């Protein structure tokens, strides 16, 4: 009899930021499967679970393994940080389950994504229309990524950049900054949150004109304000327009 596969977004990493549904899904699972770093985070809170882990670039192997365990009758939790449906494993699980003809029950459990957790730390920068863009070109051509940055800049979206910089990708954040400077003032507020919701959490509030000089790595989320975003007492605020709206 086939088991069940729950794709779980567990948020930034701390248990206090996990939803009750995420905690229940992990606690009730026979096997918890995930990226090695995520498994290490969860072992602190769920030490008695059986874990299976794979490293970076082994996403397909990891998902196949989870599907096969579910086919064998196990209740499996496939875990991702943030939200499993935002740059997570949910889509790949559905694709592979269809490819494998896996007759299993699949459920997705939403989690707090990096843009949301970082925004809460920075204040209220996402109060208006927002674009989420990953600067990782492992699966998307960099030309397409920069076109999206350009379109978001033209449209005056608040922009949350995921995967902004790594050891092998040091120039993409600078390229994105140059694109946005075509449409926005160098004084546009920018918030950088590192390790959001984890023990080493830190934040920096700077400007678009100084973003190239900022200390940014793969553990950061970069939130770039729109034309109306401002900073007050170290807090980023993007007005929604409630006070200007006339109600009849």
């Amino acid at each position: 009899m086939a088991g069940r596969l729950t794709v779980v977004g567990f948020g930034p990493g701390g248990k206090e930021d996990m939803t009750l549904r995420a905690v229940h899904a992990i606690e009730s699972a026979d096997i918890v499967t995930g990226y090695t770093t995520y498994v290490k985070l969860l072992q602190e809170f769920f030490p008695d679970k059986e874990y299976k882990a794979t490293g970076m670039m082994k996403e397909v192997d990891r998902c196949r393994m989870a599907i096969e365990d579910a086919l064998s009758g196990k209740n499996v939790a496939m875990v991702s940080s943030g939200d499993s449906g935002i740059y997570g494993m949910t889509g790949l699980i559905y694709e592979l389950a269809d490819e494998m003809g896996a007759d299993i029950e699949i459920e997705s459990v939403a989690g707090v994504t990096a843009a949301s957790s970082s925004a809460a730390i920075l204040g209220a920068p996402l109060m208006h229309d927002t674009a989420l863009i990953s600067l990782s070109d492992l699966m998307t051509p960099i030309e397409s990524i920069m076109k999206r940055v350009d379109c978001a800049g033209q449209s005056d979206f608040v922009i949350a950049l995921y995967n902004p910089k790594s050891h092998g990708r040091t120039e993409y954040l600078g390229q994105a900054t140059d694109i946005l400077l075509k449409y926005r003032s160098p004084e546009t507020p920018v918030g950088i949150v590192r390790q959001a919701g984890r023990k080493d959490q830190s934040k920096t509030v700077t400007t678009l004109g100084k973003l190239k000089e900022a200390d940014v790595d793969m553990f950061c989320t970069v939130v770039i304000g729109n034309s109306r975003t401002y900073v007050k007492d170290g807090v980023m605020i993007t007005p929604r327009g409630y006070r200007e709206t006339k109600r009849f």
Side-chain angles (χ1 to χ4, degrees), residues 1-21:
M1 182 177 179
R4 176 186 179 90
L5 177 52
T6 307
V7 195
V8 182
F10 63 82
K15 194 170 183 180
E16 64 272 19
D17 290 318
M18 296 181 196
T19 67
L20 292 175
R21 287 184 64 201

Side-chain angles (χ1 to χ4, degrees), residues 222-236:
V222 178
V223 179
I224 301 167
N226 69 10
S227 60
R228 301 190 66 197
T229 304
Y230 65 93
V231 176
K232 178 69 173 178
D233 297 327
V235 174
M236 283 181 69

Side-chain angles (χ1 to χ4, degrees), residues 20 23 60 71 77 81 109 117 120 130 142 149 167 174 180 192 217 219:
L20 292 175
V23 171
V60 173
L71 283 169
S81 67
V109 175
S117 56
T130 302
I142 190 59
V149 171
H167 292 300
L180 293 174
I192 302 165
D217 60 22
F219 297 102

Side-chain angles (χ1 to χ4, degrees), residues 60 63-69 71 92-103:
V60 173
C63 289
R64 286 189 186 278
M65 182 168 59
I67 292 168
E68 289 168 356
D69 283 335
L71 283 169
L92 183 56
I93 285 289
Y94 278 114
E95 291 175 26
L96 289 175
D98 180 60
E99 178 185 299
M100 296 166 66
D103 185 17

